[in-house]
Amino acid sequence: MARTKQTAKSNIQGKSQGKKSSYLDKASKIVEKKKSESETVSEYVRNTRTSLALDIQVAKHKMSVLDTAEALNDSEKIDFLFGLIDKDSNNSVNVAELSDAVRKGSASLSFQDTVENAVKIIAANDDNNDAVLSR
């Protein structure tokens, strides 16, 4: 359990989870493109196999993130999530970062709705009136 918390804390600092996920997403898109451009059945099967292997890696990665988060106490979970949302690692979350996170969590919301929700959240929780959420 202690090792899991240490891993989680290093993931918050290094953002390796987000980088790995981004890499896997890009690789999946490339393989999907190759799959659609396959000229032979063998090529299509090979590209489909690669695509499925990447999908498995993405699923394993997502499970790893969930396992890491599950092992944390509430304060550590807040730090973990804050680290995921804080894209520029400046220990504050601005409207753009928060609206991006809200949009990812609520795909049904429009761009305008996510920005409005982010502004409301920041306004309600901004202790020093600098228009960002700070740790």
Side-chain angles (χ1 to χ4, degrees):
M1 181 103 149
R3 185 171 187 216
T4 305
K5 286 185 180 182
Q6 183 59 36
T7 302
K9 289 177 183 176
S10 67
N11 287 341
I12 291 167
Q13 294 167 354
K15 297 210 179 171
S16 62
Q17 296 289 347
K19 290 177 184 175
K20 183 176 181 181
S21 179
S22 176
Y23 170 77
L24 290 171
D25 290 340
K26 289 176 184 176
S28 292
K29 288 176 184 174
I30 291 167
V31 171
E32 283 300 316
K33 184 178 179 192
K34 283 186 175 184
K35 194 168 89 172
S36 68
E37 296 171 350
S38 299
E39 294 183 13
T40 66
V41 172
S42 295
E43 193 176 327
Y44 179 80
V45 169
R46 185 175 55 251
N47 289 333
T48 299
R49 178 183 275 275
T50 303
S51 176
L52 290 172
L54 281 169
D55 289 345
I56 290 169
Q57 287 298 315
V58 168
K60 285 180 179 178
H61 170 69
K62 288 179 179 179
M63 289 299 295
S64 171
V65 170
L66 292 174
D67 288 344
T68 300
E70 186 177 54
L72 303 174
N73 64 39
D74 288 345
S75 176
E76 291 169 326
K77 285 178 186 175
I78 290 170
D79 284 344
F80 181 75
L81 291 172
F82 195 96
L84 292 175
I85 295 170
D86 181 18
K87 301 250 188 250
D88 57 9
S89 301
N90 65 352
N91 289 325
S92 64
V93 173
N94 61 32
V95 171
E97 291 168 327
L98 187 57
S99 65
D100 184 48
V102 170
R103 193 170 22 267
K104 287 179 181 176
S106 304
S108 63
L109 291 177
S110 70
F111 177 80
Q112 181 177 350
D113 288 341
T114 58
V115 172
E116 288 174 3
N117 285 342
V119 168
K120 288 177 186 175
I121 292 168
I122 289 175
N125 296 288
D126 183 13
D127 296 331
N128 59 359
N129 296 319
D130 61 354
V132 296
L133 297 177
S134 303
R135 282 190 189 222

